[in-house]
Amino acid sequence: MKTLSSIRRVNRRRYDTYRFLIVLTFLATTAIAQSRPAPPDRARTTVSDITREELVSFERSRVIAQADRFLNETPITVTAVTAPRSAGGAHDFFSEGDYWWPDPSDPSKPYVRRDGETNPDNFEVHRSAMRRLSVMVPALTAAFEITGNARYARHAVTHLRAWFVAESTRMNPNLMYAQAIKGVATGRGIGIIDTIHLVEVAQAALELERLGAFSGPELAGTKEWFREYTQWMTTSKFGLDERNNGNNHSAAWALQVAAFSRFTATRCAWLRCASSSPVRSFRSRWHRTAASPRSWPGRNRTGIRSSSWT
């Protein structure tokens, strides 16, 4: 299938692509810190010590080459392929629990769990399409930022419009049918981790807006989608189950709510995130091990200060 092969081809390049936008945005948010002279005896070991010019020089050819390839890729949303086992409709995201398999005694019975064994026959197309989106939009945005060529921004907006605005192709702003299990559950709260890839998309959309390349009804419609999805994440039973899961799922929930609230400027959702148990637990551990910014061993790798979380 051409659609599926296109999705897989792009996903193979994902880890080599979207990091550039994140670093560029980090540099933009640390502009004030950059203007302060560093102590003369301090080695340049943090990301924030790299100048924008150095970063662009290092990454330019790689990012533009990949963005040029993405200019030929058309949007593929959840409406492109129907999930045969989904209880939802054409606009609903669908995925299946990784470790659930047909019952060997009777395939018509509910699926059974095989811990640690991923079922290769599970429906993965919607997940792959979302990962594809999370690669393309940041790469196109990064290429626009470093070249000023508007065609990159226009194509990024084309993908955003298809996923979040256009009535014929947009995804419904909930995950009622994610991580489903045949015969057991039509969807589960832990499926919310599937949209962690939208964190990169929201960040790219915010950057396009900042650069003046994303505005009008398309921006308003995209923000409204993320606002509705964040509302669902923070008030629905599935959303609250994921928030209270207590492990990496809770962390993924908090990351998404924070990123989406930043894009939509939704303070109430951010406050729900900041007061959630995973964030409180993280901040507690942070302050116990970080009496001063320099006492946290990861600071030299990221340049983040503990005061950023207070």
Side-chain angles (χ1 to χ4, degrees):
M1 179 186 297
K2 183 178 179 180
T3 297
L4 187 56
S5 64
S6 174
I7 290 172
R8 287 172 174 166
R9 185 172 64 253
V10 172
N11 285 342
R12 283 195 294 268
R13 299 193 292 266
R14 68 182 304 266
Y15 293 108
D16 193 40
T17 302
Y18 68 79
R19 69 182 188 190
F20 186 52
L21 174 70
I22 296 174
V23 176
L24 276 178
T25 305
F26 176 72
L27 289 176
T29 60
T30 55
I32 295 177
Q34 288 281 5
S35 66
R36 298 171 181 167
D41 60 340
R42 192 183 118 197
R44 298 204 320 165
T45 58
T46 69
V47 172
S48 61
D49 287 327
I50 302 173
T51 68
R52 182 185 182 83
E53 292 74 19
E54 289 172 333
L55 181 61
V56 169
S57 175
F58 180 75
E59 296 277 12
R60 183 185 182 94
S61 60
R62 180 183 67 85
V63 169
I64 292 177
Q66 295 191 13
D68 283 344
R69 288 194 293 270
F70 295 156
L71 287 172
N72 298 318
E73 299 280 354
T74 58
I76 299 173
T77 76
V78 295
T79 62
V81 180
T82 301
R85 289 187 289 272
S86 175
H91 295 267
D92 290 307
F93 180 96
F94 179 75
S95 65
E96 293 182 288
D98 292 329
Y99 305 140
W100 293 84
W101 296 67
D103 189 325
S105 67
D106 184 353
S108 66
K109 288 183 177 180
Y111 276 16
V112 295
R113 181 178 173 85
R114 295 185 190 175
D115 193 25
E117 297 182 42
T118 299
N119 183 351
D121 294 326
N122 280 347
F123 183 84
E124 284 288 313
V125 177
H126 290 174
R127 278 176 174 169
S128 296
M130 186 171 288
R131 287 194 293 265
R132 174 182 186 264
L133 177 74
S134 76
V135 171
M136 287 185 171
V137 172
L140 290 163
T141 302
F144 169 63
E145 177 151 4
I146 65 175
T147 66
N149 190 327
R151 64 177 180 156
Y152 296 119
R154 286 195 298 267
H155 202 57
V157 171
T158 295
H159 286 273
L160 294 170
R161 183 194 308 117
W163 271 86
F164 308 116
V165 182
E167 289 297 330
S168 61
T169 56
R170 73 192 293 266
M171 171 184 159
N172 285 335
N174 62 67
L175 249 60
M176 290 297 298
Y177 307 102
Q179 293 277 341
I181 305 169
K182 182 183 176 182
V184 178
T186 58
R188 296 180 294 162
I190 64 171
I192 290 174
I193 201 171
D194 285 350
T195 50
I196 196 168
H197 303 289
L198 292 184
V199 168
E200 296 126 24
V201 177
Q203 183 65 34
L206 183 65
E207 191 71 356
L208 286 171
E209 179 187 13
R210 184 185 72 82
L211 295 169
F214 193 23
S215 60
E218 291 167 333
L219 173 62
T222 302
K223 285 193 173 186
E224 181 59 24
W225 190 96
F226 276 95
R227 194 174 290 114
E228 290 180 13
Y229 183 53
T230 305
Q231 176 72 9
W232 181 83
M233 285 183 63
T234 56
T235 60
S236 69
K237 181 182 184 304
F238 278 3
L240 297 178
D241 285 347
E242 184 76 332
R243 183 195 69 181
N244 299 326
N245 198 294
N247 55 17
N248 62 305
H249 284 270
S250 294
W253 179 94
L255 174 62
Q256 291 181 69
V257 171
F260 304 159
S261 300
R262 182 169 180 257
F263 171 49
T264 61
T266 307
R267 179 172 173 78
C268 60
W270 164 247
L271 290 175
R272 292 191 192 104
C273 171
S275 62
S276 66
S277 57
V279 173
R280 291 199 309 270
S281 176
F282 177 74
R283 289 181 61 176
S284 176
R285 290 195 300 272
W286 183 299
H287 287 292
R288 283 200 304 270
T289 59
S292 67
R294 294 183 184 278
S295 68
W296 182 50
R299 182 179 185 274
N300 285 339
R301 293 192 298 273
T302 67
I304 297 175
R305 294 176 175 81
S306 61
S307 58
S308 301
W309 292 84
T310 58

